[in-house]
Amino acid sequence: MAEISDEKLVSRCKAGDLNAFDQLLLKYQKPLYNSCLRLVRDEEDAQDVVQIVFLKAFENLATFDTNRRFFSWIYKIMVNESLNNVARRKPQVSANEFVVSNDPTPAENFASAQARKRLDEALMFLKPETRAVVVLKYFADLSYFELGYVFDLPEKTVKSRLYDARRKLCAILTGESVEES
Amino acid sequence: MNKDLVEDLLQRELDGSLSDAEQESLSLHLADNPNDRELQKQLNSVVAAFKEVSAVDPPASLRANVMQTIRSQAVANSESQSRPKLSFRGIFEIFRVRPAMSLALGFAAGVLAVMPFTGRWASPDLLPGSQVTGTIIADRAWPSGPAVDRLKFEEGSTYGSVRLEVLANRLIVSVEATSEEPIEIVTKYNMRKLWVSGLVSREPAHLTFFSNEGSVRVVHSGSVKYLLAFDGGGDDILAFTLEVAQGDRILYTGELSTRAK
């Protein structure tokens, strides 16, 4: 069966069809949760944040500009909520604490778990706003145009921020000393 | 080739958006520039690292919690659409006060008998470095539009937030707080309608209470998010109090009540 477009689902939601919202939830909960997880770095916090994101999206659906793409809009809500969550917490990692651990995670694929752990730790060195750009680029596959909308930045600034972030990640992952964000 | 151009080409190479001519130009440059070649190699390794990471499934309770809350709200809305909507705009009395003033305002609230509805919020002295924000939003139909009648008060640095929305057909209370010491949140309610539903972070189950009178108490340390939705609007609130405390110290109190007509 052909997938129903977001536009149609949103339209049905606005008409009071809760099943349509459930379909949007089903479609976006995984990418949103994974992106959020990279930003807040806590599974329970990520669940809380994503629940709030969907409830806010539902609450504000009437104000959603249908000229925009739904997923850009909901990612924007997620980034704001995640950054608020991060801002409420104290920094958890310092440059001196960055280590590449060899501890296996039994329930997961070993290589992927290692890669995720390494990358997650490296990401924590980036400023939250910069980290959000990287996460949405690579975990949500947003275009520069969409990233510009989510972060209220010109595309050129998004590209520049992403390039700086990649270089910094290079330095971290190859063990070079980096300036702590 | 200048640094900005190399940067641009490397970036676009990672995005897979280089033309054949640009790719050739970059390759020629890299052949003669080992430093930039090393940079290209490292950038590619970062992108490869992202590709190695597989996505994890969100907890099943995420979707269930969201949909149960939304369906509960929808049921409440449909039930209340048959009666005229109320507007509390301008009726609220919203205060941020010190403990002594809090008592005085308690008496003052009793004097305001002519008002069909009163609200009182008190924010006593906070722990050093603490912050509580409070918001009361009135006269807003669920789930439409941005908030109106928004008032906010803040002190110090990050601590948490308390939020109350009184709608024509819903009363929504949320508390977010972060603290290493346990935080106690107690909500006591007496509503004309029969039920209240809620989400409390760290609790796997969606909470539903089939009672028009009762209390909800949560004690939690770390990060807590607490959301309760009551069926019924302003004239259905017979009594309602919210208290946020830490040990013997009350951080926040709120009280709403409807007077008999």
Side-chain angles (χ1 to χ4, degrees):
Chain A
M1 192 169 65
E3 188 176 279
I4 304 170
S5 70
D6 287 357
E7 194 179 6
K8 283 183 180 171
L9 288 172
V10 168
S11 175
R12 281 168 48 186
C13 288
K14 286 184 172 183
D17 182 352
L18 298 187
N19 289 330
F21 191 80
D22 191 27
Q23 287 185 56
L24 287 169
L25 174 57
L26 190 59
K27 182 174 179 181
Y28 288 111
Q29 63 168 346
K30 188 169 180 177
L32 279 171
Y33 176 76
N34 276 274
S35 298
C36 184
L37 191 56
R38 259 84 223 176
L39 295 177
V40 303
R41 213 183 174 214
D42 179 282
E43 290 179 3
E44 290 176 329
D45 275 1
Q47 176 173 359
D48 290 343
V49 168
V50 174
Q51 284 179 177
I52 289 168
V53 167
F54 277 108
L55 291 174
K56 283 196 171 179
F58 183 77
E59 180 183 355
N60 294 297
L61 212 52
T63 65
F64 169 60
D65 177 1
T66 49
N67 293 319
R68 294 280 182 193
R69 296 172 73 172
F70 176 78
F71 79 86
S72 301
W73 180 66
I74 200 165
Y75 271 112
K76 187 168 189 161
I77 300 173
M78 186 276 290
V79 167
N80 288 335
E81 288 296 321
S82 298
L83 293 180
N84 286 339
N85 178 284
V86 171
R88 281 195 292 269
R89 290 182 300 175
K90 294 175 184 174
Q92 294 180 330
V93 179
S94 71
N96 294 331
E97 290 173 315
F98 178 72
V99 289
V100 179
S101 169
N102 291 320
D103 296 339
T105 309
E108 298 176 289
N109 173 280
F110 179 81
S112 182
Q114 288 295 301
R116 180 159 58 236
K117 187 176 174 68
R118 229 172 108 76
L119 200 56
D120 283 348
E121 287 176 340
L123 282 169
M124 293 309 289
F125 283 101
L126 303 178
K127 289 177 184 171
E129 297 80 3
T130 307
R131 187 161 75 240
V133 174
V134 174
V135 165
L136 291 202
K137 175 68 181 168
Y138 287 106
F139 290 100
D141 204 24
L142 262 61
S143 68
Y144 290 119
F145 175 79
E146 288 156 349
L147 288 170
Y149 164 70
V150 169
F151 294 99
D152 288 324
L153 292 172
E155 278 185 56
K156 192 176 177 183
T157 308
V158 170
K159 286 182 183 177
S160 168
R161 192 172 282 190
L162 188 61
Y163 184 78
D164 290 344
R166 284 161 165 165
R167 290 204 64 168
K168 196 163 190 177
L169 287 172
C170 282
I172 295 165
L173 291 169
T174 55
E176 291 178 24
S177 63
V178 291
E179 190 180 327
E180 194 177 353
S181 61
Chain B
M1 195 178 285
N2 68 39
K3 184 172 173 283
D4 287 345
L5 182 56
V6 173
E7 187 176 299
D8 180 58
L9 292 175
L10 285 174
Q11 173 115 310
R12 286 169 51 214
E13 183 185 44
L14 293 172
D15 296 333
S17 62
L18 282 186
S19 67
D20 290 345
E22 288 170 328
Q23 185 68 66
E24 188 178 344
S25 172
L26 178 62
S27 298
L28 286 171
H29 169 81
L30 295 177
D32 294 333
N33 292 274
N35 287 343
D36 286 345
R37 203 162 56 239
E38 180 60 23
L39 176 61
Q40 180 205 36
K41 187 179 164 188
Q42 290 181 355
L43 287 170
N44 282 331
S45 72
V46 168
V47 173
F50 279 106
K51 288 178 180 170
E52 278 180 51
V53 174
S54 57
V56 296
D57 288 324
S61 57
L62 191 160
R63 182 181 168 209
N65 285 343
V66 171
M67 286 314 296
Q68 190 164 353
T69 303
I70 287 173
R71 289 188 200 284
S72 299
Q73 289 160 358
V75 169
N77 279 347
S78 64
E79 285 175 353
S80 61
Q81 275 174 355
S82 57
R83 60 185 171 83
K85 289 185 175 177
L86 305 175
S87 170
F88 300 121
R89 188 189 299 208
I91 299 176
F92 273 114
E93 296 268 343
I94 302 163
F95 305 100
R96 182 176 68 78
V97 293
R98 300 290 170 190
M101 281 185 70
S102 213
L103 285 172
L105 285 168
F107 286 112
V111 176
L112 297 173
V114 291
M115 290 190 175
F117 189 89
T118 61
R120 175 172 66 83
W121 291 88
S123 176
D125 289 333
L126 302 170
L127 292 172
S130 296
Q131 171 184 302
V132 169
T133 62
T135 304
I136 294 184
I137 299 170
D139 191 19
R140 187 161 69 93
W142 184 275
S144 66
V148 294
D149 279 3
R150 173 176 288 235
L151 298 179
K152 185 176 281 188
F153 42 88
E154 296 180 354
E155 285 188 13
S157 59
T158 299
Y159 174 77
S161 67
V162 175
R163 176 180 156 122
L164 175 72
E165 290 183 58
V166 182
L167 312 175
N169 47 26
R170 303 291 283 154
L171 169 63
I172 298 171
V173 180
S174 60
V175 178
E176 291 187 25
T178 302
S179 173
E180 290 175 4
E181 297 177 50
I183 293 172
E184 181 179 7
I185 305 168
V186 179
T187 305
K188 294 179 181 172
Y189 60 93
N190 185 359
M191 306 285 285
R192 287 187 214 281
K193 299 276 183 157
L194 279 182
W195 57 263
V196 52
S197 61
L199 288 168
V200 178
S201 60
R202 312 289 189 257
E203 296 292 334
H206 176 89
L207 305 174
T208 303
F209 307 96
F210 294 97
S211 169
N212 68 318
E213 184 175 10
S215 65
V216 182
R217 179 174 175 270
V218 171
V219 180
H220 212 293
S221 58
S223 176
V224 62
K225 293 187 182 67
Y226 173 87
L227 172 69
L228 293 181
F230 295 83
D231 187 13
D235 62 353
D236 292 312
I237 303 169
L238 300 175
F240 175 87
T241 62
L242 170 68
E243 186 174 290
V244 182
Q246 200 163 43
D248 296 332
R249 193 180 179 96
I250 295 173
L251 299 177
Y252 201 90
T253 61
E255 181 181 317
L256 296 170
S257 64
T258 308
R259 299 189 181 284
K261 293 179 179 174

